[in-house]
Amino acid sequence: MVENDSDSILQDSKNEDIVFLVVGDPFGATTHTDLVLRARKKGIQYRVVHNASILNAVGCCGLQLYNFGETVSVVFWTDTWKPHSFYDKITANKSRGMHTLCLLDIKVKEQSIENLMRGKKVYEPPRFLTASLAAEQLLEIIQQKREKGEKDIVLAEDSLCVGLARVGADTQTLLACTLEQMTSVDLGPPLHSLVIPGYMHPLEMEMLKQFALNDSVIDMIETLERNSEHSQS
């Protein structure tokens, strides 16, 4: 309704208050900005009540919010559609020393191509992209770039990443490990996010050690700490 029939949300506003409740912050989605613009054009008064969002709650992993670059969306791949654009944005952030928050795809109330063609309103079961599958897709891109002989590949199997699941819930789970390790990790039920760190302050690294998968990851982070201290000395 919001994307295809937003005027129906506004049409009764002359006679009653309309409340539109969303998950996350209202302006985390462009369709919600469009709703505000439509209200303004119609002379409808509105009020926004801001809410917590993964865009700021991601700070729970210890990486400082002002060190994040462009947020990216990682989509479910299909056999015939495997976009790489999210990888390019991650590497652009990393080359500038910035962290990347990867928002993982959500498929809710989706129809199969067959049902769409037949005009059947039959919906597929909900699907939520996991941190492990997102890591698999990233590694597949990296491998393809190696096979093409591309140089300056800034991500690899042993690159550090952070998986986040159900942030803000009692069952919140945070895990720091390599991309390769993340492919075999089960963070449990959705929603998941994935973070690719850039340059890290010692305090950020100290926080990530609290969520390390194992001692080898702690050793890797401590090596990064020593290298950072050496480059600054």
Side-chain angles (χ1 to χ4, degrees):
M1 179 188 290
V2 178
E3 294 181 355
N4 301 318
D5 190 24
S6 58
D7 285 338
S8 66
I9 299 175
L10 303 174
Q11 65 185 6
D12 294 327
S13 59
K14 290 182 179 180
N15 304 315
E16 59 187 1
D17 291 335
I18 307 297
V19 179
F20 177 44
L21 183 66
V22 304
V23 176
D25 191 80
F27 291 125
T30 53
T31 48
H32 303 160
T33 303
D34 178 67
L35 197 60
V36 168
L37 290 173
R38 288 173 184 270
R40 290 180 67 91
K41 287 178 181 177
K42 292 176 181 291
I44 299 170
Q45 292 185 337
Y46 69 92
R47 178 181 173 221
V48 177
V49 180
H50 291 285
N51 188 20
S53 166
I54 189 62
L55 295 173
N56 52 49
V58 66
C60 67
C61 72
L63 298 177
Q64 296 166 6
L65 293 178
Y66 53 78
N67 287 336
F68 278 81
E70 183 178 357
T71 300
V72 307
S73 296
V74 181
V75 298
F76 274 111
W77 278 356
T78 68
D79 293 337
T80 57
W81 188 60
K82 296 186 177 183
H84 290 190
S85 56
F86 60 87
Y87 171 86
D88 297 331
K89 292 178 180 179
I90 292 170
T91 56
N93 282 341
K94 198 167 179 66
S95 66
R96 299 195 305 270
M98 310 297 286
H99 314 314
T100 305
L101 169 61
C102 303
L103 304 177
L104 307 187
D105 203 2
I106 298 172
K107 296 290 187 186
V108 178
K109 210 173 183 181
E110 296 274 332
Q111 290 180 274
S112 67
I113 294 175
E114 181 181 355
N115 285 327
L116 276 171
M117 292 177 66
R118 293 183 177 181
K120 291 184 177 180
K121 290 191 176 182
V122 178
Y123 300 104
E124 298 294 293
R127 292 192 299 148
F128 304 90
L129 187 61
T130 63
S132 60
L133 184 53
E136 282 184 32
Q137 293 183 182
L138 274 171
L139 291 183
E140 186 172 330
I141 295 172
I142 292 166
Q143 184 58 35
Q144 289 175 5
K145 290 185 175 294
R146 283 204 193 104
E147 292 171 356
K148 292 179 181 178
E150 293 190 24
K151 298 179 180 179
D152 301 323
I153 301 175
V154 300
L155 287 177
E157 288 80 359
D158 61 352
S159 293
L160 186 65
C161 65
V162 186
L164 304 92
R166 301 170 304 284
V167 171
D170 292 339
T171 59
Q172 172 177 301
T173 299
L174 308 175
L175 188 69
C177 60
T178 67
L179 276 173
E180 183 69 47
Q181 290 169 330
M182 186 63 73
T183 62
S184 58
V185 165
D186 181 5
L187 294 180
L191 294 168
H192 291 191
S193 301
L194 185 69
V195 173
I196 309 296
Y199 173 79
M200 290 183 287
H201 183 275
L203 190 62
E204 293 177 295
M205 289 188 263
E206 190 62 33
M207 275 292 288
L208 283 192
K209 284 193 285 186
Q210 312 307 309
F211 313 119
L213 174 65
N214 52 36
D215 289 341
S216 68
V217 177
I218 293 176
D219 292 341
M220 180 175 68
I221 296 172
E222 290 178 344
T223 299
L224 291 173
E225 283 183 290
R226 289 192 293 270
N227 292 340
S228 176
E229 291 170 358
H230 179 71
S231 65
Q232 293 176 2
S233 61

